[in-house]
Amino acid sequence: VYSEFGFLLLLVCVMLIADSRSFSIDYKNNCFQKDGKPFQYISGSIHYSRIPREYWKDRLLKMYMTGLNAIQVYVPWNFHETVQGVFNFAGDRDLEYFLNLANQTGLLVILRPGPYICAEWEMGGLPAWLLQKPNIILRSPASDWLAMLLTKMKPWLYQNGGNIISVQVQNSHYQTCVQCSDVILFTTDGNTDKEMICGTLEGLYATIDFGTDTNITAAFIRQRRFEPKGPLVNSEFYTGWLDHWGDKHASVDTVKVSKMLGEMLSMGASVNMYMFEGGTNFGYWNGADHDTRFRSVVTSYDYNAPLSEAGDPTDKLLAIRDVIKNFRDIPVGPMPPATPKFAYGFVTLQKVGNISSLLDTLSPQGPVRSQYPLTFEEIKQYYGFMLYRTTLPRNVPEPTPLISPLNGIHDRAYVSVNGVFQGLMERDTALVMNVTGQQGDQLDILVENMGRVNFGSYINDNKGLLGNLILGNDVLTDWSIYPLDIDTAVANGWLQAADSGSAMEAGDGPMIYSGTLKSTGLAWDTFVKLNGWTKGQVWVNGVNLGRYWPQRGPQQTLYVPGPFLSATQPNNITVLELERAPSHRRILFMDRPQLNSTGQKT
């Protein structure tokens, strides 16, 4: 009897606690209310998709110890539904595990479920399979995704005992998000009248975003034109900025960040800092911009944020913590230290072979044959690389222009004749190159998808050869198109150098190399530098670290998280070099990053 009574008493207590939980807008006092009391959030953006699962807890704890009481989280649709109809919420995609860690740490959550997120993420989070339907309105098929996701998120709403206090909504998906009507729904838009007019919607709380180059008073006056009452909110206060290949490494002054943060908090505003930790665009997940030309975002999403790409506290974080101390109690205890780093030294790689010689391994299903080129999306190869093969239609003894007349190289093409590298073509900038050869010679064009545009009018960004190529006066036809699954081949150990004494030619085009980082008893974070290498992709133990391009810069090293390494077994290294490998064939594992050396712009 007593045990049954105790259980019922506990159940009643839980129900009372749940009933007492509330998060709302107090329009009379221009603030949020949490559990009936005025509340100001001090938040930071963190992207679980850019951080190894093993480090989620470390990063969240550092944010909490800085004095944050909330985090802002994007949910990239394409990260969870890469293949249409197949949802993945396991491992590094386990969103609910991430939310639970945040809850245990003491952090509330501002959820931004998309479907479009921008975020310098591949296609702004929209799945590439949407592009299989020509002229599609990209966000229109997202209702099923949002309905599934928001059903999954409902137990995590603050009123239901979770930690989600608000959900961002985009205009076209208001009805889908009504099922979250017991949580604050908001919009966030840039600091211009046009963006606010286009982005706001009646019934949703309008917030604004701006950085250190903005007059705070003017920005919040703009928000007040759309929300005369309620809390002032900067949903994206930019602590840093992104890098494109060829840029100078971005930085935002620490003094400006901390000063403006203090001013906003003293006005009673709730602020989310974008980013608090940026992380890494592992694999092929980087986005791109297209203003006057296509510009791909680099692999590092360090963002000059308060926590570095590797999750280390910076001077900017310490300055921000000193500001926050003036507005709320900081948790007692030391800031968790930086994760340990180790310089493992040089590894010498051996040649496995060129792409053309490895097609049976890289494209086991064989080619798709077509009279004219097909795009990545038409072949359902959404990321990475495809090889287009045909033959020269006539003798071309003299250098003859190979032309993409309609700017149809998306995004970079590496051209070989009979296995001999001839040169490259590049979207917007290099649409013509010369070729020589004999009638019937094999013409191979390896096309790299360098990340889809994530912002603006070019977001319908198909990849591959988007139109015919012309050699002299001849339209090239009769293509064999090979979708390349390099990641599976690497993960399965199929790309190992057979001959350790293999000679290595310089300037030999797309080539795969492999080697081994010997175990040291440590599995600490490190950074790999490819000095003298040109451009390509790196895998460690089957994990795709992302793109390197030291000649273009500014990024010179790739981050290798400790959990990707083995302390006791040899670590397999695979490199796809697309243009020219150095004669020394070495890569270097360092104990610090190098993100700010700009190479030549080509």
Side-chain angles (χ1 to χ4, degrees):
V1 174
Y2 287 111
S3 62
E4 291 178 359
F5 176 75
F7 174 75
L8 289 171
L9 185 62
L10 177 64
L11 185 62
V12 169
C13 289
V14 169
M15 292 174 65
L16 287 172
I17 291 170
D19 286 343
S20 69
R21 291 170 67 90
S22 64
F23 194 86
S24 61
I25 294 174
D26 182 347
Y27 288 97
K28 182 178 179 181
N29 295 300
N30 295 329
C31 66
F32 290 112
Q33 279 205 350
K34 178 174 171 282
D35 302 335
K37 297 178 181 178
F39 182 78
Q40 178 183 34
Y41 71 65
I42 307 173
S43 171
S45 288
I46 177 172
H47 298 161
Y48 62 92
S49 55
R50 285 177 159 132
I51 301 168
R53 174 190 175 111
E54 294 87 346
Y55 281 157
W56 289 350
K57 185 174 183 178
D58 171 79
R59 309 305 196 252
L60 292 168
L61 182 58
K62 287 168 179 169
M63 296 174 80
Y64 176 77
M65 294 304 294
T66 304
L68 305 190
N69 53 19
I71 58 172
Q72 191 183 94
V73 180
Y74 273 134
V75 183
W77 180 11
N78 56 6
F79 194 59
H80 295 282
E81 195 183 357
T82 304
V83 176
Q84 186 173 8
V86 181
F87 298 107
N88 185 352
F89 285 91
D92 285 348
R93 292 166 168 81
D94 192 342
L95 173 57
E96 291 187 85
Y97 177 71
F98 180 80
L99 294 175
N100 188 42
L101 284 177
N103 205 17
Q104 291 174 9
T105 306
L107 292 165
L108 300 168
V109 171
I110 301 155
L111 190 73
R112 301 182 70 175
Y116 167 74
I117 65 170
C118 187
E120 291 73 59
W121 185 262
E122 224 276 346
M123 205 166 148
L126 298 171
W129 48 260
L130 292 172
L131 296 172
Q132 290 172 224
K133 187 175 181 180
N135 303 316
I136 189 171
I137 300 172
L138 286 177
R139 304 188 204 188
S140 57
S143 294
D144 289 346
W145 154 252
L146 280 175
M148 183 280 301
L149 176 66
L150 295 175
T151 299
K152 191 182 273 288
M153 293 296 97
K154 195 156 189 178
W156 292 97
L157 301 183
Y158 184 76
Q159 289 85 337
N160 297 335
N163 52 343
I164 297 175
I165 56 172
S166 60
V167 176
Q168 184 204 2
V169 177
Q170 292 164 6
N171 299 18
S172 52
H173 298 287
Y174 175 66
Q175 292 301 322
T176 308
C177 294
V178 166
Q179 63 174 294
C180 283
S181 57
D182 50 353
V183 71
I184 292 171
L185 303 177
F186 73 98
T187 60
T188 182
D189 291 288
N191 183 29
T192 66
D193 289 342
K194 180 180 179 182
E195 287 171 289
M196 293 292 287
I197 289 168
C198 292
T200 54
L201 188 67
E202 186 176 354
L204 305 181
Y205 194 75
T207 73
I208 198 165
D209 56 69
F210 55 88
T212 58
D213 59 348
T214 300
N215 180 287
I216 298 173
T217 302
F220 282 139
I221 286 173
R222 180 170 278 114
Q223 186 196 354
R224 277 284 174 249
R225 290 212 297 271
F226 293 85
E227 290 293 353
K229 296 290 185 179
L232 299 172
V233 179
N234 185 346
S235 286
E236 289 188 8
F237 174 51
Y238 300 110
T239 63
W241 202 246
L242 64 137
D243 290 341
H244 304 96
W245 293 111
D247 287 353
K248 182 181 178 182
H249 180 51
S251 65
V252 173
D253 183 68
T254 293
V255 173
K256 288 183 179 179
V257 169
S258 57
K259 181 175 182 290
M260 277 190 71
L261 177 63
E263 290 173 0
M264 288 187 288
L265 295 178
S266 68
M267 297 170 71
S270 287
V271 179
N272 174 71
M273 287 167 272
Y274 188 101
M275 294 293 299
F276 206 86
E277 178 181 358
T280 307
N281 295 312
F282 294 115
Y284 310 113
W285 289 117
N286 66 278
D289 284 303
H290 197 300
D291 33 38
T292 58
R293 60 184 175 86
F294 176 83
R295 297 188 300 149
S296 182
V297 174
V298 304
T299 300
S300 171
Y301 200 63
D302 178 85
Y303 212 82
N304 191 227
L307 284 170
S308 73
E309 178 182 12
D312 298 340
T314 65
D315 290 343
K316 187 174 286 184
L317 179 143
L318 299 178
I320 287 170
R321 184 174 64 170
D322 286 342
V323 169
I324 295 173
K325 284 178 182 176
N326 298 319
F327 298 92
R328 67 182 303 262
D329 292 334
I330 297 289
V332 177
M335 175 66 64
T339 52
K341 312 294 188 295
F342 192 74
Y344 295 94
F346 286 104
V347 172
T348 300
L349 304 181
Q350 306 298 332
K351 184 168 68 174
V352 178
N354 63 33
I355 293 292
S356 298
S357 69
L358 296 167
L359 284 181
D360 288 345
T361 301
L362 301 177
S363 186
Q365 74 275 38
V368 174
R369 303 192 191 280
S370 175
Q371 181 79 357
Y372 300 106
L374 300 174
T375 66
F376 276 51
E377 295 77 18
E378 288 171 313
I379 292 182
K380 300 185 179 182
Q381 168 85 8
Y382 301 121
Y383 309 105
F385 303 84
M386 290 207 311
L387 187 134
Y388 294 76
R389 172 173 286 176
T390 187
T391 56
L392 298 185
R394 58 182 174 83
N395 291 339
V396 281
E398 300 297 326
T400 302
L402 177 66
I403 307 169
S404 173
L406 299 177
N407 196 11
I409 306 293
H410 284 205
D411 299 304
R412 233 165 175 252
Y414 306 88
V415 180
S416 302
V417 175
N418 283 350
V420 178
F421 185 52
Q422 302 277 308
L424 59 88
M425 305 171 78
E426 186 170 353
R427 180 176 181 174
D428 296 328
T429 59
L431 306 179
V432 182
M433 62 167 287
N434 287 327
V435 169
T436 59
Q438 302 298 311
Q439 181 178 4
D441 282 354
Q442 180 175 285
L443 175 67
D444 281 350
I445 302 175
L446 179 71
V447 178
E448 177 187 10
N449 166 3
M450 288 184 57
R452 289 180 180 81
V453 171
N454 58 260
F455 180 80
S457 59
Y458 288 86
I459 197 167
N460 287 48
D461 190 14
N462 292 85
K463 298 300 185 181
L465 298 183
L466 273 56
N468 288 326
L469 295 186
I470 298 174
L471 180 64
N473 295 317
D474 298 305
V475 174
L476 297 178
T477 59
D478 299 319
W479 294 92
S480 296
I481 307 168
Y482 294 82
L484 303 183
D485 190 357
I486 303 175
D487 291 81
T488 295
V490 172
N492 289 334
W494 297 339
L495 298 174
Q496 299 298 316
D499 179 8
S500 62
S502 175
M504 195 168 147
E505 308 87 356
D508 51 8
M511 192 79 65
I512 290 177
Y513 301 87
S514 71
T516 300
L517 173 64
K518 294 179 180 178
S519 58
T520 61
L522 299 174
W524 289 1
D525 286 4
T526 189
F527 303 88
V528 61
K529 183 173 184 178
L530 292 100
N531 192 39
W533 299 73
T534 309
K535 186 184 192 303
Q537 208 92 16
V538 183
W539 292 258
V540 172
N541 290 331
V543 179
N544 191 331
L545 299 181
R547 309 174 203 273
Y548 67 89
W549 201 356
Q551 288 196 353
R552 187 72 61 98
Q555 182 175 359
Q556 301 294 309
T557 57
L558 294 177
Y559 174 48
V560 187
F564 291 1
L565 298 173
S566 171
T568 58
Q569 300 294 321
N571 295 281
N572 294 320
I573 314 298
T574 308
V575 171
L576 168 60
E577 169 56 54
L578 294 165
E579 296 181 45
R580 180 184 295 269
S583 58
H584 58 67
R585 312 191 311 271
R586 291 194 307 268
I587 61 176
L588 175 63
F589 289 89
M590 306 165 55
D591 60 2
R592 63 199 64 189
Q594 189 177 345
L595 301 176
N596 58 357
S597 296
T598 303
Q600 63 191 40
K601 292 188 179 183
T602 57

